[in-house]
Amino acid sequence: MRHIVVVSGKGGTGKTTVVAGWATLAGSVVTADCDVDAPNLHLLLRPEVSREGPFEGLPGASITGPDCTSCDLCRPLCAFGAIRIDENGRHEVDTMRCEGCGLCALICPQKAIVMRSMERGRWYVSTTRVGTFVHARLAPAEENSGKLVSLVKSKAQQLAEKEGADYLLVDGAPGIGCSVIASLSNADMVVAVAEPTLSGVGDVERVLELAHKFELPTGLIVNKWDLNPRISRNLARHCRKEEGPNLLGRIPFDKAIPRSMAELKTITEYEVSPASQALARTWENLNVELKKM
Amino acid sequence: MGQKLAIASGKGGTGKTLVATNLAAICNEALLVDLDVEEPNAYHFHGQRKADKRSWTHRRVPKVIESKCENCGICAQACAFNALAVLSDSLLVFDELCHDCGACYHLCPHQALRGVKHRNGQLCQMNGPPYDLLWGVLRVGEAQAVPLIHNVKKRADELSRSSVIFDCPPGTACPMVEAVTGCDRVLLVAEPTLFGLHDLKLTIDILRLLDIPHSLVLNREGLTKKDPVTPYCREEGLDILAQIPFQRSIAVSYSNGELLLGDPLLQDIFSQLAESLDLEVDR
């Protein structure tokens, strides 16, 4: 089973487009969406949920009315400014700011603060026309997205092993923070989808540096390459360096991509286009690299 | 008029930085603050090669004072983030997991823990023209963006500028929330696609929870035959303050780190956008 994680650094470069397209070419595959706070892959895969459950994360503090004497010991101690006094003079917890550290509950002399388990998101295991799909949604403004990503990954890995799938394809989040770090674990290859812009290059270098820190093999796809052939060439040159990623190919800017998305189809399910052909070539090149490993 | 304006989106790559940099360039006195500390980009469009000021930023992590530690384990037991582990004769601290809640310092019966600085990134500044810029860069490998975003905003406050434009991170999780909190209004940048609409709705949910007024700029207008975002805005009573057309030339300029204000049509669009946001425009 080959575990591929697709990242980008910069948002909007085409991670979901690539993962969705590859999922239709991969045959026996489990797919996972680890962009848990702004997931998009389900829009194209149109999943039927078979199982779902709550993501609990850390418990949240709650001040129980009658026992609180308003001694105000808790408020200045909260590092996150999550305890405030409401308009009736009563102490209350701002659930958006509370990070669940539990210090207030520990120090309250009246034991008036409890840590309540909270549903901070939901995970889903679904079936789609391309096979099993694991996805999730972090509740708005929640933190610890890394923990939910780890949950999605572990379920996806278990299912891929159980089904004997040839591939596990993971759609990652933009950036280099906790979600992305959590999405990289156990990857056989981290594939970065880059756009040929100054911003895109700067950003992809950082996510590749992150993958490198974890000693993970890397690949690169240049998407919308023809928008800036000069920068595309620079990216290709970077791939030829010893520690550079394996260049898996380049995809031209193609209106077939937004058009296929508007019809809720992956680019490979839409009419044959320069983009769909280029994507198919990246899949072939990926497999060539995987065989060498 | 003085204000704190946040540029956000939900979906990545819709044009936040494009809007933020061009708005900042066209406005008098506006300070541009790039809060996408994981992947900052506003500096590319400034034109200057090096930052004028650069300093390390830190967050606090605990360190044990060996002579005072009695290995009681209270700190490790209390730590909700599993950042402390008590071994038979030592205390292990996992810096990456520490959220600086302060519980361990407070609860240690022997005052055996002190806070030390853990380097988490850099704070950088560039002076204009075309805009004064402040930004943070998260160290690669650092998991938490929020403490650095908080630091950058604190520095922005210290600069006491009347108008501040915040270029926010994508997504709807804590980094984006930390970025928009405390702002007077949010300008959402959306693209007319299903992915764009999906993420826009998630972002609006948060802004409503946070009770921050918001309006919209539609970027890449004309990219699709059927625009799902404009009808949604109409239904929700969300004002579309500007539309930036989908034009290959804009993408190319952006790719080269160029501002768009050389094009009179685009300068007009940004000028009018600035005025509708009560930002003073450079004439």
Side-chain angles (χ1 to χ4, degrees), chain A residues 58 147, chain B residues 75-85 92-99:
Chain A
L58 283 169
K147 206 169 168 197
Chain B
C75 60
Q77 203 176 33
C79 181
F81 307 98
N82 299 312
L84 293 161
L92 276 182
V93 181
F94 300 106
D95 287 4
E96 282 316 304
L97 300 175
C98 175
H99 278 58

Side-chain angles (χ1 to χ4, degrees), chain A residues 129-148:
Chain A
R129 62 193 184 284
V130 293
T132 302
F133 174 48
V134 185
H135 50 126
R137 165 83 194 109
L138 192 69
E142 284 297 346
E143 70 144 43
N144 266 320
S145 34
K147 206 169 168 197
L148 180 53

Side-chain angles (χ1 to χ4, degrees), chain B residues 236-262:
Chain B
E236 298 291 315
L238 188 55
D239 285 330
I240 300 180
L241 298 182
Q243 295 190 91
I244 301 168
F246 173 73
Q247 257 173 41
R248 204 178 168 98
S249 57
I250 294 179
V252 174
S253 296
Y254 176 86
S255 74
N256 287 318
E258 291 161 11
L259 294 169
L260 306 177
L261 303 177

Side-chain angles (χ1 to χ4, degrees), chain B residues 7 68 98 179 196-197 210 221 228:
Chain B
I7 318 269
K68 293 192 175 167
C98 175
L197 176 63
L210 293 172
E221 187 266 318

